[in-house]
Amino acid sequence: MTIMVRKRRTDQAGGGESSEPQDSNAGQGAPQHPPQQQGRGAPQVYPQQQQGPGGRGFPQQQQVLGGRGFAPQQQGPGGRGFAPQQGGGYQGRGGYEGGRGGPRGGMASQQYTGESLYQQQGRGAQQQQPRGPLPQHRGGGVAGGGRGGFVPSAGARPSVPELHQASQAPPQAGVSTHPMPRIIPAEVTQSEGSSSVSAVEASSSQVTQQLQHISLKSESSSIGDTQPNPVSSKALRFPLRPGRGSTGSRIVVKANHFFAELPDKDLHQYDVTISPEVGSRGVNRAVMEQLVKLYRESHLGKRLPAYDGRKSLYTAGPLPFVNKEFKIVLTDEDDGSGGARRERDFQVVIKLASRADLHHLEMFLKGSQADAPQEALQVLDIVLRELPTARYSPVGRSFYSADIRQRQPLGEGLESWRGFYQSIRPTQMGLSLNIDMSSTAFIEPLPVIEFASQLLNRDVSSRPLSDADRVKIRKALKGVKVEVLHRGTMRRKYCISGLTSQATRGLTFPVDERGTMKAVVEYFRETYDVILKQTQLPCLEVGNQRRPNYLPMEVCKIVEGQRYSKRLNERQITALLKVTCQRPSDREADILRTVQHNAYADDPYAKEFGIKISDKLASVEARILSPPWLKYHETGRETRCLPQVGQWNMMNKKMVDGGIVNNWMCVNFARNVQDNLASGFCSELAQMCTISGMRFNPNPVLPVTGAHTDQVERVLKSRFQEVQKLKKELDLLIVILPDNNGSLYGDLKRICETDLGIVSQCCLTKHVFKMSKQYLANVALKINVKVGGRNTVLVDALSRRIPLVSDRPTIIFGADVTHPHPGEDSSPSIAAVVASQDWPEITKYAGLVCAQAHRQELIQDLYKSWQDPNRGTVSGGMIKELLISFRRSTGQKPQRIIFYRDGVSEGQFYQVLLYELDAIRKACASLEPNYQPPVTFVVVQKRHHTRLFANNHRDRNSVDRSGNILPGTVVDSKICHPTEFDFYLCSHAGIQGTSRPAHYHVLWDENKFSADGLQSLTNNLCYTYARCTRSVSIVPPAYYAHLAAFRARFYMEPETSDSESMASGAAGGRGGMGVGRSTRAANANAAVRPLPALKENVKRVMFYC
């Protein structure tokens, strides 16, 4: 037996450990994604609109005609630029200036906090919604003077079409954020793939409650043919495929998709109610398994139903009843005690709900119906998951087993299990089953003391645990199941709820109602004849948190098969990647073995429902697009370059637009790097920058400074002040960091970019010692774009030969949202938007970042409006600021918008398009009446499970050195969407493992791209990534947004931690918000702590590279 005690006070959880990413210097030329990082994130400063004369920014709209800029000028008709604005707005190339009275005369700045202020009907929807019918708008156009809409002046043309929401909350603190539907995050495992069946249990009616329809007056733009927005939900359709591409050399590749024959069965859905209700799917499945076992022959018409583990049961044909009640007795498994096993009684009611119509699915696959019938797809998915769910450990859409392949240790008590991902998808070839290999971390089934020793990397019995040790153990073990070892064959299982603050030897508990106390050590000796040896360790608290049972750690062992869902450290990630990294031929063989092992032909559920799965990989027609010619400076020996297999180098070339570094200095935080070595390294780096085409002063403005890692802020500020005393402006800070530097990197970036206004380049000690030319050349590429230069430009861009980009000023956006890691329940999400600032080159990208509600996917700060007491409705937001910046740096307003949006799952397509296209429209409308450049909105997906393999792995002409398909391989047939405009593009050369092609899905296209046009543009842009001389795997604007969002995590205040909770503060400034930490439990309206604003000189360069 165990000991019942009252829960005592335990230690408070502290902040978890984290390891910070280093400045990615790409020593081998490979672009590096920053490791996922807990940390700090930032809202940006947006200029407020001014009505006074002077400057060249956007004004509030005036009742004036004419003008070729974003708004008519106040002075009267005519004019070419932006209407006047106080203080000047953006300054310099692609830059932003802010701060009233600042050294450059910038205008008043407005800080945006990224808070979630929408209050909307139907707030409880699932994150992933079916892409079904959308609601009709209840009401007309935009009311004059409505908050968030442009108010046309008399004499001006009517306002541009607006994506107008039906209801808005009253503004908080004078701010009206762009209204949005609430999105509740799906579990991490659900976002793992982009299956059309993922978490689409919400019905169309729920979407109706969620989304307010795009209702726009159909008003053509003066510069392009923008599509009139749909007047009913049925009119909202993603663009149809504009034919298939034809450019490039044709090849055949294999894809990990297996053709699934559509069943010819009459599918029925039944509602299942189990009483008493239990939260565990496992218990529900056990109840239904017992029911089928007992009553299949007698009461279920010999049918074998498929069950989703919750409320739905599916059959191939009707059951012989419409509504029936069953009584089921579930007996607990034998725990080895020899005593009577516990029995639990359940009442199960099965009631006919509906028929799943496969006819609509067939019509959809043939292209004669627009919307995928999600319910039918879901039924087929559940049927094919029944058998593996019983055989393996299901995690999201994957299944894992310790027996699929030998488990590998990951360190700190974790091990990797091999498994496979499975999802049914509608494609051009019909239904297809997507199968891929996967691995994830499980907790090793160790004795608890051994687990704790591995976790702390020391023998826990050798010395007492510190408070930090106890917190780390508690965080790692909370929620983990253990079994007891002190009762012979009786292995009863418990769930850990906490850890005692006292050691076992000091713990007592009441044995009777009078409060008589007994020591735990004494109780175990008397009751179980167990003499506890590790009495200096705490006890585990198990069971009820109010009255927990105490179990000594030495009598407990972790139960096998528990997935570790918390964050892995860098060493564990590296170990897991080694396990998952397979050459393409090996991965293909493993996938085929998995399909054979799963034996779908013998699967009783697949047989019952008439589903037949092919055992061969799909053969798919593909094309290899040619790489683009790249332009370098005329003073180099090579002025043009044609990449070979996705790679090139800087030999004999000079940057097309070399930056200028007159004043620089170096701070050395590495104890084992002597100042003379640091100085020599900096000289080599300066020389490499000069050779590469920069104007780089070989002499630092101050000598190299050595510093301790715990004095980063003091040292940086004091050295910065010394430079200022010399009346010089620092162009670059070079920092030498220890290889393992904890939070130093993040602290340094936060101080430099949000406090001092310095761009910095960090270099690790190991690279300083090696000092390789390749490394220095890659660092020079990063430094050049950080100080405002360009490394290379597409030849076709300079010669104006890029379709739908070169013919008129075009701005290309990239956007991404990064979410906190699992377990970080109170950290905000970080949104980042970048936009090109040069045309026709489209190479430089300015970026803005903001914090927003926890796990909120829609970018809340794209468009904002607020009430100013003096000027009325004022608007701003990320899109508007970047449009202004483009106009400042190019002298022209964008006449086309291409928007690459990263990180959106298929279930969120409608919501993201409705909300973010609306924001783009409103941002444009706020600049000038009738300013509506045509928009192409493309979602970029990397988190999917489609893999492409060479038809012949031994054919050296069809694979690169890593055995992967060649860069430029594009697929837009067979495995793609039956009717919509999407394609897979493998734009990069593999380095190791199997390349994952990026999936591009066009959600809106007013620019009328051809398949070849968009595929070639996307592929060519992948060769303009600034940080290395390789083509990259996703289009650079999306990549840059990803980098900027991760950088912004470092800007969050250092004192905030997962365990703290702060109340909302008072509103600050015009349009500013008081902020507090939102938590998962709180609603999405909770304000978010604002991030410190980037300094203006940092904003206007690619600081995130």
Side-chain angles (χ1 to χ4, degrees), residues 220-269:
S220 293
S221 163
S222 58
I223 58 164
D225 298 324
T226 56
Q227 291 174 218
N229 287 319
V231 293
S232 77
S233 60
K234 292 182 180 177
L236 180 61
R237 294 282 177 254
F238 299 138
L240 296 177
R241 188 181 304 282
R244 291 179 184 162
S246 59
T247 59
S249 53
R250 295 182 179 277
I251 58 165
V252 173
V253 296
K254 290 177 285 188
N256 59 337
H257 285 243
F258 298 84
F259 178 68
E261 195 174 310
L262 196 63
D264 184 18
K265 296 277 184 174
D266 196 10
L267 302 187
H268 286 65
Q269 178 182 352

Side-chain angles (χ1 to χ4, degrees), residues 776-886:
L776 294 172
N778 281 345
V779 174
L781 293 177
K782 298 178 66 174
I783 289 174
N784 189 48
V785 295
K786 287 179 181 181
V787 298
R790 288 189 195 90
N791 293 336
T792 188
V793 174
L794 296 171
V795 168
D796 280 357
L798 293 176
S799 56
R800 306 285 182 96
R801 289 202 302 263
I802 302 178
L804 297 179
V805 172
S806 296
D807 60 334
R808 59 175 64 164
T810 299
I811 186 168
I812 300 182
F813 285 90
D816 191 18
V817 178
T818 65
H819 300 295
H821 294 279
E824 294 179 29
D825 286 354
S826 60
S827 298
S829 292
I830 304 291
V833 180
V834 304
S836 57
Q837 300 295 292
D838 51 353
W839 181 84
E841 297 91 345
I842 50 171
T843 304
K844 281 185 179 180
Y845 291 83
L848 298 173
V849 289
C850 73
Q852 60 186 40
H854 177 78
R855 302 203 72 81
Q856 174 59 259
E857 182 57 48
L858 306 185
I859 301 176
Q860 300 175 40
D861 245 6
L862 289 181
Y863 174 79
K864 289 220 167 196
S865 65
W866 64 95
Q867 287 297 316
D868 181 272
N870 300 317
R871 293 172 294 141
T873 303
V874 185
S875 63
M878 299 164 108
I879 297 289
K880 184 170 183 176
E881 298 311 313
L882 291 167
L883 290 171
I884 294 172
S885 181
F886 181 94

Side-chain angles (χ1 to χ4, degrees), residues 923-940:
C924 292
S926 70
L927 299 173
E928 176 184 292
N930 312 314
Y931 174 59
Q932 285 296 296
V935 177
T936 296
F937 194 106
V938 186
V939 166
V940 187

